[in-house]
Amino acid sequence: MSEPLLPIMLSALQHYSYCPRQCALIHQEQTFDDNVHTVRGNLAHERVDSGESGTEYGVRVERSLPLYSERYGLTGRADAVEFLDDGTPYPIEYKQGSRQKKMHDDVQLVGQALCLEEMTGKVVPEGAIFHHKSRRRRAVPITPELREFTIGLIAKVRALLESGQMPPPVDERALCKECSLQDSCQPDLMGNRGRIRRLHERLYDADDEGDA
Amino acid sequence: MKQLLNTLYVSTDGAYLRLEGETLVLSVDKVKKHQVPLHHLGAIVCLGRVAISPALMARSMEDGRSIVWLSEHGRFQARVEGPVNGNILLRQAQFRAADRVETALEISKAFIAGKLRNSRNVLLRSARDSKDEAAKTQLVRAAKSLAINLRNLAHAESAASVLGLEGDAARVYFEQFNTMIKPQMREEFEYKGRSRRPPKDTVNALISFLYALLLNDCRSALETVGLDPQLGFFHVVRPGRPALALDLLEEFRAVLGDRLALTLINRGQLRQKDFDLRPGGAVMLNDSGRKTVIMAYQERKKETLQHPVLESQVEIGLLPLLQARMLARYLRGDVEAYIPFFNK
């Protein structure tokens, strides 16, 4: 029997899609620093996590539902899954920001859909992102293109986590500004290897200026 | 930037610390003396006979707040630890690096380079402050001698030669300790050569106590980033010895320990009355002396310095953590070299 696939957290898909280094810092280095976004995110989730499962407006809702896929080696939790009358699951992911289309949120939702399909045997044609700030839902159709992209991404995340390597920071510094892991990541430092090399070359040379 | 949280130092004999809501309450003989909010506390350090309630202990472990007991003179006694921090891949890298002679040598050299650079700076700073021409010349000459050791360190090819250069530099440096003390204070503070366990003069009592506080901060910093404080590169592994914390301490001794000791002495903030002289020659800081030192140390930690690698102003209290993090980065192959902290 072959070794089961290294299970990957569904959130790792979102992290990797945002920045592979962020993914490695969280899932490999086990770093977690709070910033305003994560604190807001936690506050947004507090409501979700405290919410109980049950029936709302005639729809069965499961909150904080454990998810898994053995086929793709995924594990995690869905903020909420609505079950339509015919049993079709409809995953909803809560995000603290306002209603913007973000690829990295979408792939996490597709990951959830893949799990739900394996768990229930039903096709999941659509899910939604609930934006806490605007309190609006954004429907995300689980298209064949998104599926294919996400399955490719799962393989990349697995390859990264199995390698144990740290990828370099992304070139796009705008992403770093929003990232809670800046202190641990030190993107500018990693981006400037020249500075470390120069300091290392001069480490054993005392500056005699001011000695006299 | 990670927030510099306060360390609560409790040196009241017989104090009892307990949890009350989101606060810590300190009482003595069941009388409430102090109450502080928990969210500003990064660590609790108990000096001497201090007890802590299980609830406060559990809450601190949950928050990642370390609790340490030192003897009243600063010797490490016990630590309460929560779950192991950080990453097994990092600890594995640390153990492998320690086993590779070349890597261990490279890291040792970096720590000692930091130590020599910072020791030199303390000498040169005192030379600039001194009004006595003979003293100036002497201090500058010692700094030059350390510069030679620093250059030789670059070519050191064995742990033994690093140890030799470090020992030689330490001798030259400490020979100047009395010169760095203001003439009018030399009667009360005479450095008679390094002595520990017990310290035999006021200067040794003072610097040993400061090193103990610093060592504790280095140890906590290493644990926070997930490094094993017991596996060193320069200091030999011995059961119970925080060898890596001692390694990291090397770059901070002069700049955070000695420099602060000299300030306390030269400004007259500490006097003979702050020390207890014991029969047989042992000298220890007493209660009032310890309070003065702890307060000065806490204040010093809030000051900022320019960090050579990060090229930004950082709080001194965060330096051990920043260096521990950079060491972790180096060990994981994320950067090419470990650069110790030094101020230019």
Side-chain angles (χ1 to χ4, degrees):
Chain A
M1 212 178 85
S2 64
E3 180 105 349
L5 287 171
L6 170 79
I8 289 172
M9 297 292 292
L10 284 164
S11 61
L13 299 178
Q14 192 240 13
H15 296 139
Y16 186 97
S17 163
Y18 188 83
C19 165
R21 188 172 169 89
Q22 189 199 57
C23 180
L25 280 166
I26 295 170
H27 297 276
Q28 206 154 269
E29 301 293 314
Q30 309 190 325
T31 309
F32 196 81
D33 299 339
D34 272 328
N35 76 357
V36 61
H37 298 293
T38 61
V39 171
R40 278 199 198 126
N42 291 342
L43 290 175
H45 272 94
E46 230 164 68
R47 205 187 74 101
V48 183
D49 293 339
S50 66
E52 286 165 17
S53 301
T55 305
E56 289 170 23
Y57 307 107
V59 180
R60 188 158 65 84
V61 183
E62 290 288 338
R63 296 188 187 276
S64 202
L65 182 69
L67 300 180
Y68 65 89
S69 158
E70 277 162 20
R71 181 172 172 201
Y72 296 108
L74 294 173
T75 184
R77 225 170 248 277
D79 290 335
V81 180
E82 294 180 355
F83 286 89
L84 310 181
D85 283 343
D86 66 347
T88 300
Y90 191 94
I92 303 158
E93 174 67 17
Y94 284 61
K95 294 292 173 197
Q96 59 93 11
S98 50
R99 217 163 74 119
Q100 286 170 6
K101 186 169 163 52
K102 284 186 184 144
M103 189 63 175
H104 38 269
D105 292 344
D106 292 0
V107 294
Q108 192 175 354
L109 198 63
V110 178
Q112 293 176 3
L114 293 175
C115 292
L116 285 163
E117 287 179 347
E118 188 175 314
M119 289 162 67
T120 64
K122 298 263 184 190
V123 173
V124 179
E126 194 180 287
I129 310 280
F130 178 82
H131 292 275
H132 191 71
K133 201 170 173 184
S134 56
R135 308 202 154 267
R136 298 274 302 275
R137 271 188 190 190
R138 175 169 64 82
V140 179
I142 315 292
T143 63
E145 293 76 28
L146 258 182
R147 274 171 203 274
E148 201 184 319
F149 180 81
T150 306
I151 291 165
L153 197 68
I154 296 167
K156 286 186 192 166
V157 174
R158 180 165 289 114
L160 169 68
L161 297 184
E162 281 176 344
S163 78
Q165 303 286 315
M166 282 292 288
V170 287
D171 293 328
E172 211 181 319
R173 278 296 175 276
L175 288 174
C176 300
K177 281 209 174 79
E178 301 290 304
C179 177
S180 65
L181 300 181
Q182 272 197 82
D183 285 352
S184 298
C185 173
Q186 292 165 339
D188 294 327
L189 179 60
M190 301 308 129
N192 190 354
R193 281 158 199 276
R195 190 192 308 161
I196 293 205
R197 200 176 313 118
R198 277 196 304 281
L199 282 166
H200 190 236
E201 278 164 11
R202 292 201 318 246
L203 184 58
Y204 301 96
D205 260 326
D207 179 7
D208 265 354
E209 200 183 316
D211 279 19
Chain B
M1 184 56 67
K2 189 180 162 73
Q3 210 187 344
L4 176 60
L5 296 171
N6 288 330
T7 300
L8 178 71
Y9 291 88
V10 183
S11 61
T12 313
D13 192 53
Y16 182 65
L17 309 179
R18 63 185 165 82
L19 184 65
E20 194 179 290
E22 293 295 305
T23 66
L24 174 153
V25 169
L26 186 160
S27 50
V28 181
D29 295 330
K30 299 196 173 156
V31 180
K32 193 189 271 193
K33 298 278 185 190
H34 297 285
Q35 188 160 15
V36 288
L38 274 180
H39 68 278
H40 278 149
L41 290 181
I44 301 169
V45 177
C46 307
L47 294 119
R49 230 168 45 93
V50 176
I52 296 188
S53 77
L56 177 58
M57 237 181 242
R59 173 61 192 272
S60 293
M61 292 310 100
E62 202 178 297
D63 296 349
R65 183 180 303 109
S66 74
I67 302 179
V68 181
W69 279 266
L70 305 178
S71 78
E72 53 182 345
H73 303 298
R75 179 105 62 90
F76 177 79
Q77 287 180 317
R79 166 186 301 272
V80 180
E81 270 173 52
V84 175
N85 272 324
N87 173 8
I88 181 63
L89 297 177
L90 171 60
R91 281 195 297 281
Q92 224 174 7
Q94 179 188 357
F95 276 66
R96 284 180 184 145
D99 274 345
R100 276 195 305 266
V101 177
E102 273 180 28
T103 313
L105 183 66
E106 200 53 45
I107 300 172
S108 301
K109 280 160 75 168
F111 282 131
I112 300 308
K115 175 178 187 159
L116 297 196
R117 292 189 84 113
N118 291 327
S119 301
R120 263 179 105 275
N121 276 329
V122 169
L123 290 169
L124 292 172
R125 161 89 186 264
S126 292
R128 283 197 300 277
D129 291 349
S130 174
K131 292 178 180 68
D132 176 351
E133 281 308 314
K136 267 185 205 292
T137 316
Q138 222 175 313
L139 291 171
V140 171
R141 194 184 301 142
K144 286 211 153 97
S145 167
L146 259 55
I148 294 167
N149 283 13
L150 184 63
R151 276 190 280 274
N152 289 338
L153 185 64
H155 310 293
E157 278 173 6
S158 69
S161 63
V162 176
L163 194 64
L165 289 164
E166 187 265 343
D168 187 45
R171 185 182 49 75
V172 169
Y173 171 77
F174 276 112
E175 273 171 9
Q176 299 307 318
F177 220 87
N178 285 324
T179 319
M180 294 194 277
I181 292 170
K182 276 189 181 162
Q184 59 269 37
M185 303 307 293
R186 279 182 205 157
E187 204 177 308
E188 281 176 69
F189 293 92
E190 192 196 356
Y191 177 75
K192 298 167 185 159
R194 190 79 178 107
S195 57
R196 303 180 298 157
R197 297 182 189 185
K200 296 201 180 69
D201 59 51
T202 48
V203 175
N204 274 291
L206 174 56
I207 59 178
S208 282
F209 186 68
L210 278 167
Y211 293 165
L213 297 181
L214 261 171
L215 179 63
N216 190 49
D217 284 350
C218 288
R219 187 186 168 133
S220 298
L222 293 166
E223 276 174 356
T224 301
V225 304
L227 286 163
D228 185 334
Q230 295 209 34
L231 183 65
F233 298 99
F234 178 64
H235 286 84
V236 177
V237 169
R238 225 185 274 152
R241 181 194 218 190
L244 186 60
L246 287 164
D247 285 358
L248 184 58
L249 178 64
E250 294 294 357
E251 41 184 281
F252 297 121
R253 280 181 199 271
V255 65
L256 301 185
D258 305 341
R259 190 58 240 165
L260 183 58
L262 287 165
T263 304
L264 285 168
I265 294 170
N266 286 338
R267 289 192 188 151
Q269 285 169 270
L270 280 176
R271 303 308 293 258
Q272 194 76 46
K273 64 171 174 49
D274 293 310
F275 296 84
D276 286 343
L277 312 176
R278 310 298 300 277
V283 180
M284 301 285 190
L285 274 163
N286 60 26
D287 208 38
S288 74
R290 278 196 297 274
K291 282 205 172 103
T292 304
V293 176
I294 287 169
M295 275 169 62
Y297 181 66
Q298 293 277 69
E299 285 306 309
R300 180 97 174 104
K301 286 211 277 191
K302 289 186 206 149
E303 290 170 26
T304 61
L305 278 176
Q306 177 79 8
H307 195 282
V309 179
L310 303 176
E311 289 188 336
S312 58
Q313 290 283 317
V314 299
E315 282 168 300
I316 287 176
L318 284 179
L319 286 173
L321 182 73
L322 296 173
Q323 291 304 121
R325 201 179 266 161
M326 283 197 285
L327 180 62
R329 287 261 161 276
Y330 169 70
L331 290 170
R332 290 280 283 127
D334 208 17
V335 283
E336 285 161 64
Y338 173 69
I339 310 290
F341 170 77
F342 54 86
N343 53 0
K344 289 182 181 168

